[in-house]
Amino acid sequence: ELMHTAAYKEFYANQTVFIYKKEIARSRVKGVEIEFDSMKLASILDVPGHTGISEYIKEVWEESKYIKPLEITRKFANNSLINVARRVQSTEMKPFQRFVHFIVMKNVVPRFGKRDTISFMDLTYMDQLVSGRKINLPRVMMRHMTYVILVKDHELSYGDLMTMIFDAFGVPLVDKKGEEPKRYDYFEETFLTMCKLKRVNEIWWIGTGENRRRDDDNEAVIPQIL
């Protein structure tokens, strides 16, 4: 999707009418009232809205059924001798793990900034992806949107997905052309090869070797996000 920058900035700028309460978001863009909960958002994005983890982790990393902090630390630091759960440095990760981290930073909880130290939240979502478990993207999106408007110096998020929301509510988009993805939103073919991924067509790459996972049709696929 192309990003309609003016409209999505207005959505966040109207934070006085953007309410996060009982998972209901409200705003106004181009004179159009927008209101949705996580299930409505799931319908708009055409993704499941009732399955997958939705923890929004900032400073406290607690263990649960699917979140094992020490195991996750060891996995992404590639060091089985670590005995305390901690943040991981990008230099400790393999190319494919850095690739998964980029996916999380661009799609699950998008933001700009340094990628040298991997947060607890990023590590949790990365573990879900490489383990083949689901993330409840609609609920995570709503929680991240709330954080964005509370932290004044935070970059705006979900520019591309917001276009789908605007279309669903009939927001007139003046800048119909939108904005093309930036150069840093792309991966070089050499890097994807280093990640042990294989091109199958002009769009899709699949996992090979240790990054290979089987689905119900016994096809190798990249771990799913939704």
Side-chain angles (χ1 to χ4, degrees), residues 114-130:
K114 295 182 179 179
R115 305 174 188 168
D116 298 334
T117 302
I118 318 305
S119 70
F120 295 150
M121 182 160 55
D122 286 355
L123 287 169
T124 298
Y125 295 148
M126 290 163 62
D127 185 58
Q128 290 294 113
L129 295 183
V130 300

Side-chain angles (χ1 to χ4, degrees), residues 110-156:
R111 62 204 185 276
F112 295 107
K114 295 182 179 179
R115 305 174 188 168
D116 298 334
T117 302
I118 318 305
S119 70
F120 295 150
M121 182 160 55
D122 286 355
L123 287 169
T124 298
Y125 295 148
M126 290 163 62
D127 185 58
Q128 290 294 113
L129 295 183
V130 300
S131 299
R133 295 189 295 266
K134 294 185 178 183
I135 296 171
N136 190 320
L137 183 61
R139 293 190 66 186
V140 171
M141 281 182 65
M142 295 189 69
R143 292 172 181 181
H144 191 52
M145 286 178 181
T146 303
Y147 181 73
V148 167
I149 65 172
L150 292 176
V151 181
K152 300 299 183 181
D153 60 348
H154 200 290
E155 295 288 344
L156 303 184

Side-chain angles (χ1 to χ4, degrees), residues 15-204:
Q15 56 185 303
T16 56
V17 293
F18 184 93
I19 304 171
Y20 182 83
K21 184 178 181 181
K22 296 182 179 179
E23 296 199 335
I24 296 177
R26 297 189 183 99
S27 188
R28 177 190 290 267
V29 179
K30 308 291 186 183
V32 178
E33 295 287 345
I34 295 176
E35 178 176 315
F36 55 85
D37 59 13
S38 61
M39 292 306 296
K40 173 66 174 179
L41 181 58
S43 176
I44 292 171
L45 302 179
D46 193 24
V47 299
H50 58 279
T51 59
I53 70 166
S54 58
E55 283 82 352
Y56 196 80
I57 305 161
K58 297 307 294 181
E59 299 300 329
V60 180
W61 204 11
E62 297 180 347
E63 185 161 332
S64 66
K65 181 178 180 181
Y66 293 118
I67 302 175
K68 309 295 182 183
L70 181 56
E71 291 181 14
I72 294 173
T73 300
R74 289 172 172 172
K75 177 187 294 185
F76 290 99
N78 295 286
N79 185 346
S80 61
L81 300 179
I82 293 174
N83 54 23
V84 177
R86 61 168 173 79
R87 293 176 173 82
V88 172
Q89 299 301 309
S90 61
T91 53
E92 297 178 285
M93 297 194 302
K94 297 178 180 178
F96 182 73
Q97 294 171 329
R98 296 201 299 272
F99 169 71
V100 174
H101 181 226
F102 185 89
I103 290 176
V104 169
M105 285 191 65
K106 284 293 184 180
N107 299 278
V108 184
V109 280
R111 62 204 185 276
F112 295 107
K114 295 182 179 179
R115 305 174 188 168
D116 298 334
T117 302
I118 318 305
S119 70
F120 295 150
M121 182 160 55
D122 286 355
L123 287 169
T124 298
Y125 295 148
M126 290 163 62
D127 185 58
Q128 290 294 113
L129 295 183
V130 300
S131 299
R133 295 189 295 266
K134 294 185 178 183
I135 296 171
N136 190 320
L137 183 61
R139 293 190 66 186
V140 171
M141 281 182 65
M142 295 189 69
R143 292 172 181 181
H144 191 52
M145 286 178 181
T146 303
Y147 181 73
V148 167
I149 65 172
L150 292 176
V151 181
K152 300 299 183 181
D153 60 348
H154 200 290
E155 295 288 344
L156 303 184
S157 300
Y158 305 114
D160 49 352
L161 296 181
M162 292 303 296
T163 299
M164 300 175 68
I165 297 174
F166 298 150
D167 285 343
F169 285 92
V171 175
L173 298 174
V174 177
D175 49 338
K176 286 292 184 181
K177 184 179 179 182
E179 294 183 9
E180 294 286 350
K182 303 295 189 297
R183 178 66 184 82
Y184 50 74
D185 291 328
Y186 293 92
F187 290 101
E188 297 288 346
E189 185 169 344
T190 52
F191 177 75
L192 294 177
T193 302
M194 286 175 58
C195 293
K196 298 184 178 179
L197 301 175
K198 182 177 66 175
R199 180 194 291 275
V200 293
N201 55 40
E202 290 300 313
I203 299 176
W204 293 102

